[in-house]
Amino acid sequence: MVGVFYGLVLIELILLLFTPSRQQRVSIVFLVLLAIIFAYVPITVSDNWVYNWYYTHPEVPTKFEPVFNQFMQIATKVGLSYQQFKLVIFTIEMSCVAWGLNIFQVDNKRVVLLCYTAIQFFESGYSCEII
């Protein structure tokens, strides 16, 4: 999983070097692959197993953020699997990032996106040991 991510980062960095700054747009392929990695990261990585357990047991009270907890409850009632729920969260997250990049008129969206998505892989040293 980490190897795929770093391969994507390498491809995006090469594209950054050869693409004029005015034409830099976020690659749809990059976003789709990030969504797949985000949604289907193994349950053993980081604290995914905790979120998965609480997602599949909505009756158990949690100490998660109230809005996130409500999203989990709604997604469970609608019948989304945990991976589908994570894809919805990823879509909301990337939409917020894109909105922020447009508000602040960031020219180099690819670099910001690369740095932002790398946080997932540096957040937990435990996840690097498993993969």
Side-chain angles (χ1 to χ4, degrees):
M1 216 37 100
V2 174
V4 172
F5 173 75
Y6 286 119
L8 286 172
V9 170
L10 183 62
I11 290 168
E12 282 294 305
L13 288 174
I14 291 169
L15 288 174
L16 280 170
L17 293 174
F18 295 113
T19 307
S21 62
R22 290 181 183 234
Q23 295 179 357
Q24 290 180 355
R25 293 190 176 88
V26 176
S27 169
I28 298 298
V29 174
F30 182 70
L31 283 177
V32 168
L33 290 174
L34 280 178
I36 292 169
I37 291 171
F38 181 79
Y40 295 100
V41 69
I43 295 301
T44 55
V45 173
S46 192
D47 56 354
N48 273 333
W49 67 273
V50 174
Y51 287 102
N52 186 27
W53 190 86
Y54 278 109
Y55 185 80
T56 55
H57 297 84
E59 69 281 356
V60 178
T62 67
K63 295 185 179 185
F64 297 142
E65 298 82 1
V67 175
F68 182 77
N69 196 19
Q70 289 301 318
F71 274 135
M72 282 187 0
Q73 298 288 331
I74 291 168
T76 302
K77 288 177 186 174
V78 171
L80 296 178
S81 70
Y82 180 63
Q83 284 76 24
Q84 292 169 331
F85 168 70
K86 286 185 74 174
L87 284 173
V88 169
I89 293 297
F90 179 82
T91 304
I92 293 169
E93 179 182 1
M94 287 298 121
S95 298
C96 290
V97 169
W99 181 54
L101 292 173
N102 287 331
I103 287 175
F104 292 107
Q105 300 174 349
V106 175
D107 290 331
N108 204 338
K109 293 176 177 61
R110 280 182 166 170
V111 171
V112 173
L113 186 62
L114 283 172
C115 293
Y116 181 74
T117 54
I119 291 171
Q120 294 180 51
F121 295 93
F122 296 117
E123 217 171 46
S124 173
Y126 180 68
S127 63
C128 293
E129 293 173 9
I130 290 175
I131 298 177

